[in-house]
Amino acid sequence: MKFSIKRSEFLKSLADVQRAISSRTTIPILTGIKIQASEEGLTLTGSDSDISIEAFIPVEDEKNNLTIDQAGSIVLQARFFSEIVKKLPDEMMQIEVLDHFQTLITSANASFTVNGLDANNYPHLPVIDTQETFSLPINLFKQIIGQTVIAISTHESRPILTGVNMVIENGKLLAVATDSHRLSQRIIPLEVSSALADQKYNIIIPGKSLIELSRTLDERHENIEMMITENQVLFKTENMYFYSRLLEGYYPDTARLIPESAATEIVFNASSLLGSIERASLLSHEGKNNVVKISISPELVEISGNSPDVGNVKEELAYISVEGESIDLSFNPDYMKDALRTFGQTDIRIKFTSPVRPFILVPSEDNQNFIQLITPVRTF
Amino acid sequence: MKFSIKRSEFLKSLADVQRAISSRTTIPILTGIKIQASEEGLTLTGSDSDISIEAFIPVEDEKNNLTIDQAGSIVLQARFFSEIVKKLPDEMMQIEVLDHFQTLITSANASFTVNGLDANNYPHLPVIDTQETFSLPINLFKQIIGQTVIAISTHESRPILTGVNMVIENGKLLAVATDSHRLSQRIIPLEVSSALADQKYNIIIPGKSLIELSRTLDERHENIEMMITENQVLFKTENMYFYSRLLEGYYPDTARLIPESAATEIVFNASSLLGSIERASLLSHEGKNNVVKISISPELVEISGNSPDVGNVKEELAYISVEGESIDLSFNPDYMKDALRTFGQTDIRIKFTSPVRPFILVPSEDNQNFIQLITPVRTF
């Protein structure tokens, strides 16, 4: 294998592929990055066996300044390799595989010789044997990921809850995640070809995969293609394939958790409420009970927090409108902050049922398509 | 005590004073910040007993928007207090001490009540009983600090080497630091009043103090005043006092370590050599022997590094001029990188004596006032 390429372009693909590579893998060759050169271009592959990312750098795209002198393949230690490429002195770089998988990396006067591994020993990527493809707008899909992954569980005691449940049905994509204390749900319309219109898909994608996927998604592209098989999902953009395994099992029925009626409804600006919660939680983080209390009455809407050692805080909240019964309840401010951040600058409606039942946050203009749910903390 | 102040200005002084405060202190009250209000303004004090910083916020400076309603003092937990001040909602804030040292912090609708401590129990700052003052240009003094602290020892086995030795004599300030493997020395001219012209000062300032001092020094001010007593040094700017204890003992005689002659001299651009060293050290960091080798001959100047597990690197160096004998030697690339960074973009001359004797780096235009010295690593 021998090729030369513009270093900055090579680095971009390298950075994408490297997201899949973990230093804690139990399969030694997966700490490496696979480089494959063919007449058409270079293919870089990284994998931690849960996630695999493949990036393609085509010869025909002139900005890559890519010349393939000899086809072939090699696996190089990812950590060193990308450090080396970053620090090379020239705009161009060359890579050549010598005898015994020794690989020569050169740029201007600098030359590195590193020990490579036989690419034939690199695991094969999953085979995606389906023609059924969904097209998703990238900016909307990144939004959905950001809005739901906050609620995935970080504990392995119920592995299924470490994923996001995605259900495709009736021209809609529903994404939901819950760690059993809180829940995030977002629904978007989906353009589905008539051949797939009657199909239902119900999959659970590991939250970690979605977070990494979101980081690689370049908003310069408009759409991403999604292909689903029994235990894998593949996301395709122009020059990148992102594979993730799916979680096996049945996701709990979350629809019944969402209360349908409300005793108290109050409308806030999300970012102004976030500021107040951040202040109210400053001291509570210190104590054993990380809770903030909200009191809503026709006269006063107030939050308060306290730590016996440090002191207490209270703040009268500015709200847009309030309706219904007076209510006092306590909640984990970290859940509230995570939820509020997913709404950005918009106005939100919070609907309370009782001090011990979950309450929900929705955009003030839309009750249906985006819901954050939080279970209160009982303090009595 | 009761006052109101513009929050942004209060935060600036708070941040300065907080540099002195360590969470690991053994004296509980020193985890707090002392606030003292008088008719003239506010004095904030932080200390870890090695370093003490006092900042003054005058009433007369209108940008502070400071109103003192009642004089007094309090000690508040530094960590919480500054988090609270940062997160307050309004441009203005008020502080009022209530009964039992409870302190009320308010801003717009938010109010915090925190437990304070009696300021009478806060340790007294060192007394500086001297009228002898040196005036130092701030930008030059920051330079000296940056150029010398790289060579202080981080081991407590010889505490004296954790400091920078400063000698004032004959209208010059000499600063030198060494960890016994390398040495940094800088000399600057000093304007000394005729009363002090015959005096000699020889002090050792903890490197940690100088690093913190450098961070607080605002280059909007031109000069800093330095006052020296037997075991303390005080640095004064307009509204800040920075106290540091001095290290006790005798600093080793370092002048004899600096070689006077050279067998080989070579001139490089410092930043281009730094890039080459960074590449050459990429792999050596991995091995047990973190060394890089340089070979200088009339035909070729080359550096190389290797790690048995990963591979090797070599690079032909671009130099400006070379004189004298051919030489091969090995060095710790971390020392070389630290040293090269203190020269910025300038050209430097490296003077070698032998493969086992220390070599020095000096600005190519100045042999005397700035020297970085590094001891080679014996590899045979």
Side-chain angles (χ1 to χ4, degrees), chain B residues 149-190:
Chain B
V149 290
I150 59 159
I152 60 169
S153 170
T154 52
H155 298 288
E156 286 295 333
S157 55
R158 286 183 70 190
I160 207 100
L161 296 187
T162 63
V164 174
N165 184 204
M166 292 203 181
V167 181
I168 297 171
E169 198 177 16
N170 303 328
K172 284 182 178 169
L173 166 67
L174 177 149
V176 62
T178 178
D179 61 5
S180 77
H181 303 290
R182 53 177 161 173
L183 174 151
S184 304
Q185 176 177 297
R186 176 75 193 270
I187 300 170
I188 58 164
L190 199 64

Side-chain angles (χ1 to χ4, degrees), chain B residues 8-9 11-13 15-17 19 53 55-56 61 63-64 136-143 145 210-225 235-242:
Chain B
S8 54
E9 296 300 324
L11 262 176
K12 276 185 211 161
S13 298
D16 279 344
V17 168
R19 294 191 187 284
I53 304 178
F56 184 65
D61 188 344
K63 77 170 186 305
N64 297 322
L136 299 162
I138 285 188
N139 52 9
L140 206 53
F141 194 58
K142 283 185 85 156
Q143 226 181 64
I145 295 174
L210 290 172
I211 292 168
E212 291 301 340
L213 172 63
S214 179
R215 287 180 183 147
T216 59
L217 286 182
D218 186 336
E219 296 190 37
R220 284 175 302 177
H221 294 122
E222 256 186 33
N223 286 291
I224 187 167
E225 305 293 318
F235 296 96
K236 282 164 68 171
T237 54
E238 196 185 347
N239 287 319
M240 194 184 64
Y241 281 30
F242 186 108

Side-chain angles (χ1 to χ4, degrees), chain A residues 230-289:
Chain A
E230 202 174 323
N231 52 20
Q232 288 281 336
V233 59
L234 166 60
F235 296 95
K236 283 164 67 169
T237 54
E238 197 184 346
N239 288 317
M240 193 184 66
Y241 281 30
F242 186 109
Y243 298 81
S244 171
R245 80 179 166 94
L246 297 175
L247 293 174
E248 281 174 47
Y250 291 99
Y251 202 80
D253 173 19
T254 54
R256 63 180 176 78
L257 300 175
I258 300 168
E260 288 180 357
S261 61
T264 314
E265 298 199 9
I266 182 163
V267 178
F268 290 105
N269 174 269
S271 80
S272 126
L273 180 59
L274 177 59
S276 302
I277 303 284
E278 280 173 340
R279 283 186 285 280
S281 65
L282 268 179
L283 305 182
S284 66
H285 265 282
E286 204 53 15
K288 281 177 207 152
N289 270 338

Side-chain angles (χ1 to χ4, degrees), chain A residues 256-358:
Chain A
R256 63 180 176 78
L257 300 175
I258 300 168
E260 288 180 357
S261 61
T264 314
E265 298 199 9
I266 182 163
V267 178
F268 290 105
N269 174 269
S271 80
S272 126
L273 180 59
L274 177 59
S276 302
I277 303 284
E278 280 173 340
R279 283 186 285 280
S281 65
L282 268 179
L283 305 182
S284 66
H285 265 282
E286 204 53 15
K288 281 177 207 152
N289 270 338
N290 182 20
V291 296
V292 160
K293 190 176 154 190
I294 186 164
S295 300
I296 300 174
S297 73
E299 296 77 39
L300 183 70
V301 178
E302 190 180 68
I303 50 171
S304 55
N306 79 86
S307 151
D309 294 340
V310 189
N312 62 68
V313 44
K314 60 172 192 264
E315 181 168 343
E316 188 181 335
L317 296 179
Y319 58 87
I320 294 163
S321 69
V322 64
E323 284 167 50
E325 299 165 18
S326 295
I327 191 169
D328 276 23
L329 62 77
S330 298
F331 54 85
N332 181 328
D334 294 342
Y335 294 170
M336 188 63 129
K337 285 188 272 184
D338 288 345
L340 286 170
R341 287 191 188 108
T342 65
F343 290 100
Q345 294 290 332
T346 58
D347 290 342
I348 55 146
R349 181 182 303 272
I350 309 188
K351 299 182 182 194
F352 299 97
T353 315
S354 93
V356 296
R357 295 280 319 276

Side-chain angles (χ1 to χ4, degrees), chain A residues 79-80 83-84 87 89 109-115 279 282-283 286 308-316, chain B residues 79-80 83-84 87 89 109-115 279 282 286 308-316:
Chain A
R79 189 161 59 94
F80 284 107
E83 282 303 307
I84 290 170
K87 292 225 160 83
N109 287 335
S111 67
F112 287 79
T113 312
V114 298
N115 305 320
R279 283 186 285 280
L282 268 179
L283 305 182
E286 204 53 15
D309 294 340
V310 189
N312 62 68
V313 44
K314 60 172 192 264
E315 181 168 343
E316 188 181 335
Chain B
R79 188 161 60 94
F80 285 107
E83 281 304 308
I84 290 171
K87 292 227 160 86
N109 287 334
S111 67
F112 288 79
T113 312
V114 298
N115 305 320
R279 282 186 285 279
L282 268 179
E286 204 53 17
D309 294 340
V310 190
N312 62 68
V313 44
K314 59 172 195 261
E315 180 168 342
E316 188 182 337

Side-chain angles (χ1 to χ4, degrees), chain B residues 127-133 196 201 226-229 232:
Chain B
V127 177
I128 304 295
D129 53 356
T130 174
Q131 295 305 315
E132 299 171 2
T133 296
L196 301 177
Y201 292 86
M226 178 165 76
M227 301 173 85
I228 299 167
T229 66
Q232 289 282 335

